[in-house]
């Protein structure tokens, strides 16, 4: 049951559109996904969906899919070919406009939709730090980073103030998808309706202000913050930005060209709320209302810090492993790779990991995932990881088992079974229609299954 206090506020915001807005709650929600072009190089996904995809206007990799399709139950999902994401939530990732080679922070990143969208834009080049303060959610974030085959991401589990003390003026771009009162999710999530209150709106606004202030510390001069929420509350949106700009005179709201048809159905910000005038920024804010766009409620804007983004700061260098520590890995690499992944080798727990060359020393913050886990050394032998497999393409390795989606061995493999295949002995990359999904080890035509036990399932 939607609360009366919420309705009163929405009537102030929407005026004559209020009835249309309320009627939208009777409509079914929209479903969408983003194709992961870190792994998908052709139109194989379109073939699977057989014409049941239609584009999300502002995201060139985003597509609506018909409600009767269940893409989460398909092997392509396990292979990281796409990320299922609410369509409106793709807008902030579009606005951040990430570039390969940059240093980027996703400050409130779980479950990983925006991080994986940013990573695809970066194309494995540069450094992405994906942070989540809640440990359980940070674990889910790390799992999604792995499934999408991302090599250049560091997953951290820290508060924004701890990161700000560690990374002053470090990032070219920062995504702040702030925790909010969740008003935009009422159609999808009845619990959000039950938990909503005016007091919670205020608490969220106060928390968002702290997070934004810490983001400002971490942004390089000339850098960009994308601020977003999934709520309609002006206190958490336009008013929050107005107050931020008052506290930070070195920031301004960026003007985005809205003339493109990709922004059809997306509203500007509101010009006032009660006695509070927000007209100075409203034209450069984005609001998504479910009665005007095929998606849930969302807000976004872009904040830019004055100055020169080329300024570099001095950070403690993360030292890589010496060659003698890589003996077993190098022996494996010679046999396994055509094109091995590159970066700086480090020890992370018992694992050999690969991190971007620009990665600083991370000993004072909680790190769940440090770049790409290559594998472990056990009894003098290197054992490659599932993470490594998911990050590779068939062209990267010497021995590939490339199965068709219609091959029964696909489902045997995901279910943890061995199967027969005529190929060279040793480690091999298992692929489905050129999408890497895991590892196998072949002995005399029998493929021993190395798909992780925790992921095995019947599809």
């Amino acid at each position: 049951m939607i609360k009366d206090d919420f309705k009163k506020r929405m009537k102030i915001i929407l005026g004559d559109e209020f009835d249309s807005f309320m009627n939208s709650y009777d409509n079914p929600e929209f479903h969408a996904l983003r194709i992961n072009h870190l792994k998908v190089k052709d139109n194989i996904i379109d073939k699977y969906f057989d014409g049941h995809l239609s584009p999300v206007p502002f995201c060139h990799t985003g597509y609506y899919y018909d409600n009767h399709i269940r893409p989460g139950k398909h092997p392509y999902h396990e292979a990281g070919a796409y990320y299922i994401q609410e369509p409106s939530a793709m807008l902030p990732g579009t606005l951040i406009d990430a570039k390969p080679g940059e240093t980027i922070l996703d400050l409130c990143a779980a479950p990983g939709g925006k991080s994986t969208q940013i990573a695809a834009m970066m194309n494995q080049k540069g450094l992405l730090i994906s942070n989540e303060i809640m440990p359980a959610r940070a674990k889910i974030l790390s799992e999604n980073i792995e499934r999408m085959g991302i090599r250049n991401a560091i997953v951290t589990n820290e508060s924004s103030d701890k990161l700000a003390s560690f990374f002053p003026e470090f990032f070219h771009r920062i995504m702040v998808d702030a925790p909010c009162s969740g008003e935009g999710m009422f159609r999808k999530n009845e619990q959000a309706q039950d938990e909503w209150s005016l007091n919670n709106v205020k608490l969220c606004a106060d928390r968002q202000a702290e997070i934004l202030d810490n983001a400002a510390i971490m942004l390089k001069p000339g850098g960009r913050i994308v601020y977003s929420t999934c709520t309609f509350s002006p206190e958490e949106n336009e008013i929050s930005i107005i107050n931020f700009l008052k506290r930070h005179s070195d920031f301004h709201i960026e003007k985005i060209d809205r003339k493109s048809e990709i922004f059809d159905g997306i509203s500007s910000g509101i010009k006032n709320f009660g006695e509070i005038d927000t007209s100075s920024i409203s034209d450069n804010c984005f609001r998504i209302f479910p009665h005007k766009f095929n998606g849930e409620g969302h807000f976004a804007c872009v904040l830019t810090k004055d100055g020169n983004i080329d300024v570099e700061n001095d950070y403690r260098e993360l030292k890589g492993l010496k060659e003698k520590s890589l003996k077993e890995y190098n022996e494996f690499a010679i046999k396994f790779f055509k094109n091995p992944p590159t970066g700086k080798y480090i020890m992370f727990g018992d694992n050999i990991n690969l991190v971007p060359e620009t990665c600083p020393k991370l000993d004072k913050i909680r790190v769940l995932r440090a770049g790409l886990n290559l594998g472990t050394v056990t009894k003098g032998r290197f054992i490659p990881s599932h993470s490594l497999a998911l990050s590779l393409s068939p062209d990267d390795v010497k021995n590939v088992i490339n199965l068709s989606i219609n091959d029964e061995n696909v489902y045997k493999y995901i279910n943890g079974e061995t199967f027969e295949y005529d190929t060279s002995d040793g480690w091999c990359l298992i692929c489905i229609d050129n999408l890497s999904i895991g590892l196998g080890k072949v002995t005399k035509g029998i493929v021993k299954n190395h798909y992780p036990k925790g992921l095995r399932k019947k599809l």
Side-chain angles (χ1 to χ4, degrees):
M1 181 67 68
I2 297 177
K3 297 179 181 179
D4 288 339
D5 281 343
F6 172 74
K7 293 179 182 178
K8 290 175 185 177
R9 289 161 58 84
M10 292 307 298
K11 197 158 191 176
I12 295 171
I13 291 170
L14 291 169
D16 294 341
E17 296 181 31
F18 175 73
D19 288 340
S20 296
F21 169 77
M22 291 303 301
N23 290 337
S24 72
Y25 284 99
D26 296 327
N27 299 329
E29 64 186 86
F30 289 86
H31 301 279
L33 54 81
R34 275 185 302 98
I35 305 296
N36 178 19
H37 285 304
L38 291 179
K39 300 194 71 167
V40 178
K41 307 302 181 186
D42 54 30
N43 66 347
I44 190 69
I45 305 302
D46 295 336
K47 290 178 183 177
Y48 161 58
F49 286 105
D50 191 26
H52 294 285
L53 295 179
S54 57
V56 175
F58 46 72
C59 180
H60 75 279
T61 57
Y63 295 89
Y64 296 98
Y65 61 86
D66 290 354
N67 291 348
H68 70 276
I69 296 173
R70 303 189 68 189
K73 300 293 184 180
H74 195 276
Y76 289 162
H77 180 267
E78 306 306 305
Y82 46 78
Y83 187 100
I84 297 171
Q85 187 175 19
E86 201 284 311
S88 300
M90 299 178 191
L91 177 62
T94 299
L95 294 176
I96 203 167
D97 195 25
K99 307 294 185 188
E102 293 182 327
T103 302
I104 300 177
L105 169 66
D106 187 356
L107 189 49
C108 315
K114 294 173 179 66
S115 276
T116 56
Q117 187 176 1
I118 291 167
M121 295 177 185
M122 297 176 76
N123 197 27
Q124 310 284 29
K125 298 178 179 67
L127 173 65
L128 171 62
I129 294 184
S130 298
N131 180 70
E132 172 56 46
I133 192 171
M134 304 298 292
R137 285 171 56 80
K139 182 180 178 183
I140 295 169
L141 167 65
S142 185
E143 290 168 353
N144 281 322
I145 292 287
E146 175 179 88
R147 183 172 62 85
M148 302 299 274
I150 296 165
R151 299 177 181 176
N152 62 324
I154 310 294
V155 177
T156 59
N157 172 215
E158 283 293 357
S159 63
S160 63
D161 60 322
K162 178 68 176 291
L163 290 180
S165 67
F166 196 81
F167 290 116
E169 295 192 344
F170 187 76
F171 297 99
H172 295 95
R173 301 173 197 259
I174 300 177
M175 175 70 74
V176 179
D177 184 40
C180 67
S181 58
E183 296 171 354
M185 294 294 111
F186 282 1
R187 181 164 59 176
K188 288 185 64 175
N189 185 352
E190 290 188 7
Q191 184 178 352
Q193 297 181 30
D194 296 338
E195 294 176 351
W196 184 89
S197 69
L198 291 172
N199 186 55
N200 191 39
V201 168
K202 183 182 183 305
L203 289 173
C204 287
D206 291 343
R207 182 169 51 194
Q208 290 153 3
E210 179 184 356
I211 293 171
L212 265 176
D213 287 346
N214 288 325
I217 293 169
M218 291 185 277
L219 190 69
K220 288 177 177 288
R224 166 181 288 197
I225 292 174
V226 171
Y227 175 78
S228 69
T229 71
C230 57
T231 194
F232 304 116
S233 162
E235 294 94 332
E236 300 174 72
N237 295 330
E238 291 90 351
I239 295 172
S240 179
I241 298 305
I242 288 282
N243 291 336
F244 173 82
L245 293 173
K246 289 177 180 177
R247 296 193 303 273
H248 299 273
S249 60
D250 56 338
F251 275 81
H252 62 273
I253 193 165
E254 190 168 326
K255 295 181 180 179
I256 306 292
D257 183 6
R258 307 177 66 98
K259 295 177 182 178
S260 170
E261 63 183 13
I262 69 171
F263 294 126
D264 285 352
I266 300 179
S267 304
S268 300
I270 63 172
K271 296 186 180 299
N272 59 73
F273 187 70
E275 297 180 355
I276 301 176
D277 181 7
T278 56
S279 59
S280 62
I281 66 165
S282 59
D283 287 347
N284 297 307
C285 295
F286 295 80
R287 274 184 172 265
I288 297 179
F289 292 104
H291 66 292
K292 300 177 73 172
F293 181 82
N294 293 339
E296 306 307 315
H298 226 81
F299 172 89
C301 70
V302 180
L303 299 163
T304 301
K305 193 174 189 177
D306 299 336
N308 183 355
I309 203 166
D310 294 329
V311 173
E312 296 294 336
N313 292 312
D314 184 27
Y315 286 89
R316 296 181 303 154
E317 182 181 358
L318 178 62
K319 293 182 179 179
L321 293 174
K322 294 181 179 179
E323 195 68 22
K324 65 179 181 180
S325 302
L326 295 168
K327 176 179 176 292
E328 293 85 357
Y329 170 73
N330 287 333
E331 290 173 353
F332 162 83
I334 290 169
K335 295 177 181 178
F336 185 72
F337 290 118
K338 288 182 184 176
N339 301 303
T342 59
K344 185 177 292 186
Y345 299 97
I346 65 167
M347 288 302 300
F348 187 68
D350 295 329
N351 301 313
I352 298 175
N353 280 29
L354 196 68
V355 298
E357 293 287 354
T358 54
C359 185
K361 200 169 184 181
L362 298 168
D363 56 326
K364 293 185 179 179
I365 56 177
R366 288 191 294 271
V367 177
L368 269 66
R369 178 183 179 82
L372 177 63
N373 174 10
L374 297 172
T376 60
V377 176
T378 303
K379 297 179 180 179
R381 293 178 297 125
F382 179 79
I383 309 298
S385 74
H386 185 62
S387 296
L388 173 62
L390 288 172
S391 75
L392 298 171
S393 76
D395 293 337
D396 292 329
V397 300
K398 295 178 179 178
N399 195 7
V400 179
I401 296 178
N402 194 10
L403 304 172
S404 163
I405 190 62
N406 298 316
D407 192 322
E408 65 177 6
N409 288 329
V410 168
Y411 301 91
K412 285 184 177 181
Y413 180 74
I414 293 174
N415 196 33
E417 301 174 34
T418 61
F419 60 92
E420 296 181 6
Y421 200 90
D422 185 15
T423 189
S424 303
D425 284 2
W427 288 103
C428 64
L429 183 68
I430 310 292
C431 296
I432 305 169
D433 292 331
N434 293 314
L435 300 168
S436 61
I437 192 167
L439 292 164
K441 196 167 187 182
V442 183
T443 304
K444 297 181 179 179
I446 302 297
V447 183
K448 184 178 179 182
N449 197 308
H450 282 263
Y451 198 65
K453 292 182 179 179
L455 299 178
R456 294 175 184 179
K457 62 184 73 171
K458 287 190 177 182
L459 293 178

